[in-house]
Amino acid sequence: MNGFFRTTDKDKNKDKDEIEVLRHALDTADAVVIGAGSGLSTAAGFTYSGERFRKYFADFIDTYHFKDMYSGGFYPFSSLEEHWAYWSRYIYINRYMDAPKPVYEELFRLVKDKDYFVLTTNVDHCFQKAGFDKERLFYTQGDYGLFQCSKPCRQETFDNEEAIRRMVEAQGYKITSDGNLILPETPSMRIPAELVPRCPHCGRPMTMNLRSDGTFAEDEGWHSAAKRYETFMENHRGQKVVFLELGFGYNTPGIIKYNFWQYAYNWQHAFYACINKGQAQVPTEIKEKSVGIDGDIGEVLLRI
């Protein structure tokens, strides 16, 4: 192996340990750019269906027959009081509670001594909770921890932790000192009207700062993060850069996946790695400077 590039000998490639290839690339890298999708948080235990969904949303499941948290988030509730009862639980367990598995912490261990930057479509704040420097993060699609005006009347966001905690407690939940929830026997499916969040400027109802349509607010923090990412890429042009894609599928491939492929193709010393269960494809054009590892992200990170 010369630098990041894998040998072109097909017989040698066949038996090459993909984990060793990636470990070598990371060890010799000048910089690492992490591209993270929902599969990374799923590997950390932030699942949106199954037991975790039933534990916190049994009443909504019984009433509306929701199949998972995500689809329930699009339901046209008849009142804002019920809408925010659902969404406050949703936000709290996916933003303010810790992930069940230390996958993000393992990732941080791998790159903390490297010059790194994180580009992610995840909105659950797991990177910062694991120790990643917030100045090296760009959350392209928003943050569960932020409200915005539903219009929006201006490109501004608002921290929502205190408001979300009040909504959750108003439904009968108890928040423990370590941030976990004690479930009431019969939780309320509505919050008091006075807790419905409204824009302090125009009085319209607030909504989540999540990119789903043309109303997404790109505030000052969003633009600052975008500029830091742009500067990071310019500063490392031509260097040995590992583009490490984790848990990213094909829902919005243009944000991370296709860009990483282009960088790996165009930058002579770049290396592309994809770790994803069931979706670890590598384009033919860059296969000699790439690895695709099909497996559980947490388990793979532990092996590197």
Side-chain angles (χ1 to χ4, degrees):
M1 182 182 301
N2 179 17
F4 281 166
F5 292 88
R6 299 172 65 185
T7 174
T8 57
D9 187 318
K10 302 303 180 185
D11 291 331
K12 290 181 181 179
N13 263 349
K14 183 178 180 180
D15 298 322
K16 181 65 68 175
D17 185 335
E18 303 289 354
I19 298 293
E20 290 297 328
V21 172
L22 179 52
R23 182 184 294 119
H24 173 81
L26 291 169
D27 287 345
T28 58
D30 296 313
V32 180
V33 181
I34 296 169
S38 61
L40 180 60
S41 287
T42 298
F46 270 175
T47 54
Y48 281 45
S49 59
E51 181 181 352
R52 187 166 178 264
F53 177 46
R54 291 191 296 272
K55 178 178 180 179
Y56 296 106
F57 294 94
D59 48 354
F60 282 95
I61 295 171
D62 290 343
T63 302
Y64 296 108
H65 309 292
F66 294 156
K67 302 300 182 183
D68 55 61
M69 278 183 241
Y70 185 76
S71 59
F74 291 97
Y75 187 81
F77 293 104
S78 61
S79 71
L80 288 173
E81 289 83 358
E82 192 174 16
H83 170 90
W84 281 110
Y86 183 86
W87 267 98
S88 60
R89 293 187 211 175
Y90 188 121
I91 295 163
Y92 189 83
I93 67 172
N94 293 306
R95 173 63 167 75
Y96 296 112
M97 289 177 64
D98 291 335
K101 302 177 183 178
V103 174
Y104 281 87
E105 288 79 5
E106 287 298 328
L107 179 59
F108 182 57
R109 177 184 60 82
L110 283 179
V111 303
K112 65 180 181 179
D113 296 324
K114 288 288 184 182
D115 195 0
Y116 70 84
F117 202 96
V118 176
L119 182 68
T120 183
T121 55
N122 293 347
V123 294
D124 50 30
H125 207 66
C126 285
F127 281 102
Q128 277 183 252
K129 287 192 287 187
F132 286 80
D133 182 352
K134 67 179 181 180
E135 296 299 308
R136 293 172 176 266
L137 301 173
F138 181 19
Y139 291 89
T140 65
Q141 306 300 82
D143 184 342
Y144 281 148
L146 298 175
F147 287 152
Q148 65 166 73
C149 175
S150 55
K151 183 177 174 61
C153 64
R154 60 194 68 193
Q155 298 297 303
E156 185 178 1
T157 58
F158 308 87
D159 291 338
N160 67 21
E161 183 173 5
E162 183 179 348
I164 292 298
R165 283 174 173 267
R166 288 201 303 266
M167 292 183 207
V168 169
E169 289 173 335
Q171 295 173 68
Y173 289 85
K174 302 295 184 183
I175 300 175
T176 65
S177 59
D178 58 0
N180 290 317
L181 290 180
I182 298 176
L183 279 63
E185 184 175 340
T186 306
S188 173
M189 293 175 63
R190 298 172 63 87
I191 64 167
E194 61 268 21
L195 293 184
V196 171
R198 295 187 178 277
C199 177
H201 303 296
C202 69
R204 289 185 178 87
M206 291 280 211
T207 189
M208 294 305 303
N209 181 231
L210 304 175
R211 190 187 299 277
S212 58
D213 54 32
T215 64
F216 178 70
E218 296 179 355
D219 64 4
E220 183 179 346
W222 189 96
H223 285 284
S224 295
K227 181 63 178 178
R228 289 194 298 272
Y229 174 64
E230 179 183 341
T231 301
F232 184 91
M233 299 302 288
E234 286 299 319
N235 289 343
H236 293 287
R237 184 180 296 274
Q239 297 181 6
K240 288 184 178 181
V241 178
V242 171
F243 291 90
L244 180 59
E245 180 193 308
L246 302 169
F248 205 85
Y250 287 90
N251 286 335
T252 53
I255 297 174
I256 291 174
K257 185 181 291 290
Y258 292 167
N259 278 330
F260 278 18
W261 289 356
Q262 286 293 326
Y263 279 120
Y265 182 78
N266 292 319
W267 287 13
Q268 180 181 0
H269 301 297
F271 185 89
Y272 169 74
C274 175
I275 306 174
N276 201 356
K277 195 168 186 177
Q279 294 186 7
Q281 297 86 357
V282 172
T284 302
E285 292 82 356
I286 58 171
K287 66 180 180 180
E288 303 302 340
K289 52 194 301 190
S290 303
V291 293
I293 302 174
D294 186 344
D296 181 271
I297 297 172
E299 294 176 3
V300 173
L301 292 177
L302 284 173
R303 293 175 57 197
I304 297 175

